[in-house]
Every structure is written in structure tokens, then in C-alpha cells.
């Protein structure tokens, strides 16, 4: 009886509509090739898309820098290949303003009638100030907010530590323990994420992108791209222009 009822409903009325009412919660689902098949409008906005409809058939690589998209794809395929969920992973995701957000993300496999995994569904939740992640070390939240607000300016890991009121060595240890990366990597990736977005979506010249993203100049931006993405900014832009 319940199956007949569910089959009679227009798609999107239960999961998407329900998740849309929850603040700071994002819902999405993908096929076995990690292509987006649906989700909430809030998720689309977070990823920088105008609507979820414009994401259908595309992958994370169309909306996020490779160092983010590669990690998302790896997690997707592990869930799909093993048929086991991935629960409450802390990860960086792009935000609409060009910075990076820390989210708790969970992914569960989706099975067809024959028990074959055909995709996955995911839920991501913004980590609030009172979350357990920051409970023991609230100074980390202050540092994260500082980077989100001021990464376009000339700031350093020293400035980050001062905002948190902790030593550079303590900051290094806490970042590695909490987020599995260093403070300098977090700052650099935040800047690179914005640079990637501008390279994909605008015609602004490389020098101006480097300056506006806090990467200093074009030479430093190219060096950062080679380190994190194994590609130059120009080739990154060309890759997306060829797909349009």
C-alpha cells in the first residue's frame, strides 16, 4: 500500500521539499557515474549553480576546483563500489560567495529493485558555532570565520593564529587534528577556490584574478595552481571554455 502511494506522487515532493525547509541542510543525489540527478535548490546555490535543473547530468568537477571535486568523486565511488554509507565526514565545500565552508557530509548508496547500487544520496550540514567540532577549541571557529571574511586581503598563518589567540604551533596541531590539513593549505585552497570560480565563469584577466583572490600576483597564482591542481590557470580556464 505504501509503495503504491509513493509511486503515485510527483517526484520531489518528499525529500527535496522537506530538506528545503531545513536551514543549513543540503540534499543531493547522484547516479553511479557521480553525475547529479537531483537535489535541493539550496544545494545548487551553495555550489554556485542558478538551479538544481542546471546541475543535472553534470559532476562536481563542473562546479568545484579539482582538489575538492576529486575528493568528492573518490568518496562517491567508495560508497557505490562497497554499498556502504559514509557518515558525518568533515569536508571543505565551495560556497556561493567564493569562499569555502566546512560541512558534515553523509552519503548512502541507492539500490535498484535487483539490489544493485545505481547511485547515492547525500546530505550536507553546515557546521555551526556550537557544533562539537568547535566545542573544545572555539578559537578554531574564530580562525575559520576570519579566513572566510578576509582571505582576499594580505593575511598569513601568523595573522590567523593571532585571531584565535593561540600560537602558530598550536594552530598547526589543531588544524591537522580537526580538518586533516594545515592552516596554510586551508588559506591557499580558499583563495584557489575563488580563483577557479572566476576562471570558469568570467573573462577577467589572470593578473586581476590573482590580486582579487589574495594570491598576490599571477606568478604566485600559477605556482599555487601547479601545487594544488597540477595545472596552470590558463589551461584550467581553457578546459572549461572548450566545454561551453
Amino acid at each position: 500500500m505504501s509503495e503504491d502511494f509513493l509511486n503515485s506522487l510527483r517526484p520531489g515532493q518528499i525529500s527535496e521539499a522537506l530538506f528545503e525547509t531545513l536551514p543549513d541542510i543540503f540534499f543531493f543525489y547522484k547516479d553511479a557515474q557521480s553525475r547529479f540527478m537531483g537535489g535541493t535548490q539550496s544545494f545548487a546555490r551553495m555550489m554556485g549553480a542558478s538551479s538544481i535543473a542546471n546541475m543535472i547530468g553534470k559532476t562536481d568537477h563542473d562546479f568545484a576546483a579539482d582538489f575538492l571535486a576529486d575528493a568528492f568523486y573518490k568518496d562517491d565511488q567508495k560508497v557505490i563500489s562497497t554499498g556502504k554509507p559514509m557518515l558525518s565526514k568533515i569536508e571543505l565545500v565551495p560556497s556561493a560567495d567564493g569562499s569555502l565552508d566546512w560541512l558534515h557530509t553523509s552519503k548512502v548508496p541507492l539500490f535498484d529493485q535487483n539490489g544493485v547500487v545505481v547511485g547515492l544520496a547525500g546530505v550536507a550540514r553546515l557546521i555551526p558555532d556550537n557544533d562539537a567540532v568547535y566545542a573544545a577549541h572555539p578559537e578554531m571557529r574564530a580562525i575559520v570565520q576570519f579566513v572566510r571574511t578576509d582571505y582576499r586581503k594580505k593575511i598569513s598563518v601568523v595573522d590567523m593564529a593571532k585571531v584565535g589567540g593561540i600560537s602558530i604551533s598550536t594552530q598547526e596541531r589543531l588544524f591537522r587534528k580537526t580538518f586533516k590539513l594545515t592552516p596554510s593549505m586551508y588559506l591557499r585552497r580558499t583563495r584557489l577556490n575563488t580563483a577557479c570560480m572566476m576562471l570558469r565563469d568570467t573573462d577577467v584577466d589572470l593578473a586581476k584574478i590573482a590580486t582579487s583572490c589574495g594570491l598576490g600576483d599571477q606568478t604566485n597564482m600559477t605556482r599555487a595552481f601547479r601545487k594544488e591542481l597540477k595545472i596552470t590557470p590558463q589551461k584550467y580556464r581553457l578546459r572549461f571554455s572548450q566545454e561551453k
Side-chain angles (χ1 to χ4, degrees):
M1 182 181 297
S2 62
E3 184 176 345
D4 292 337
F5 172 73
L6 292 173
N7 290 334
S8 71
L9 297 178
R10 188 177 65 215
Q13 293 188 87
I14 295 182
S15 55
E16 287 93 329
L18 181 60
F19 280 111
E20 225 39 286
T21 68
L22 302 175
D24 299 331
I25 299 289
F26 311 102
F27 171 69
F28 59 91
Y29 47 99
K30 303 176 180 179
D31 66 8
Q33 286 73 50
S34 293
R35 296 175 297 199
F36 291 110
M37 292 288 110
T40 56
Q41 295 303 321
S42 59
F43 175 74
R45 289 192 296 270
M46 180 190 70
M47 295 293 289
S50 58
S51 69
I52 195 67
N54 289 332
M55 297 183 70
I56 304 302
K58 298 179 180 179
T59 72
D60 286 298
H61 286 87
D62 294 298
F63 302 98
D66 288 3
F67 60 81
L68 297 174
D70 288 347
F72 301 155
Y73 179 80
K74 182 179 179 180
D75 287 340
D76 288 351
Q77 293 305 307
K78 184 176 181 179
V79 171
I80 290 167
S81 64
T82 64
K84 297 180 180 179
M86 179 198 81
L87 302 177
S88 295
K89 179 176 181 177
I90 298 176
E91 61 182 1
L92 279 174
V93 297
S95 62
D97 65 4
S99 63
L100 294 175
D101 276 322
W102 289 106
L103 273 69
H104 275 298
T105 301
S106 294
K107 299 176 180 179
V108 297
L110 297 175
F111 301 88
D112 66 10
Q113 297 292 339
N114 297 313
V116 177
V117 179
V118 293
L120 62 83
V123 175
R125 177 179 65 85
L126 280 172
I127 298 176
D129 292 351
N130 60 354
D131 192 276
V133 171
Y134 297 116
H137 302 287
E139 62 270 29
M140 292 292 288
R141 184 58 181 171
I143 295 171
V144 167
Q145 283 299 112
F146 173 63
V147 173
R148 284 205 59 182
T149 303
D150 292 350
Y151 72 91
R152 295 177 183 272
K153 302 177 183 178
K154 188 176 181 180
I155 62 173
S156 67
V157 294
V158 175
D159 299 318
M160 293 164 61
K162 287 181 179 179
V163 167
I166 56 178
S167 68
I168 296 174
S169 59
T170 298
Q171 177 180 243
E172 181 90 9
R173 177 176 57 80
L174 290 178
F175 259 82
R176 288 184 180 277
K177 177 183 178 182
T178 307
F179 301 128
K180 306 298 187 293
L181 80 172
T182 66
S184 60
M185 289 172 63
Y186 174 53
L187 178 59
R188 183 171 64 244
R189 290 185 177 192
T190 298
R191 289 167 167 167
L192 282 173
N193 179 66
T194 302
C196 287
M197 184 176 68
M198 294 182 70
L199 288 167
R200 292 194 306 268
D201 302 334
T202 75
D203 295 321
V204 176
D205 66 69
L206 300 185
K208 289 183 178 179
I209 290 177
T211 301
S212 66
C213 295
L215 290 166
D217 56 34
Q218 187 173 336
T219 299
N220 284 332
M221 181 171 74
T222 298
R223 186 180 299 113
F225 262 75
R226 288 185 182 279
K227 187 177 185 65
E228 291 283 1
L229 285 85
K230 308 299 186 289
I231 192 174
T232 65
Q234 185 63 46
K235 288 183 178 179
Y236 185 86
R237 169 172 274 174
L238 182 62
R239 188 177 81 190
F240 285 91
S241 65
Q242 291 173 337
E243 294 176 357
K244 294 180 180 178

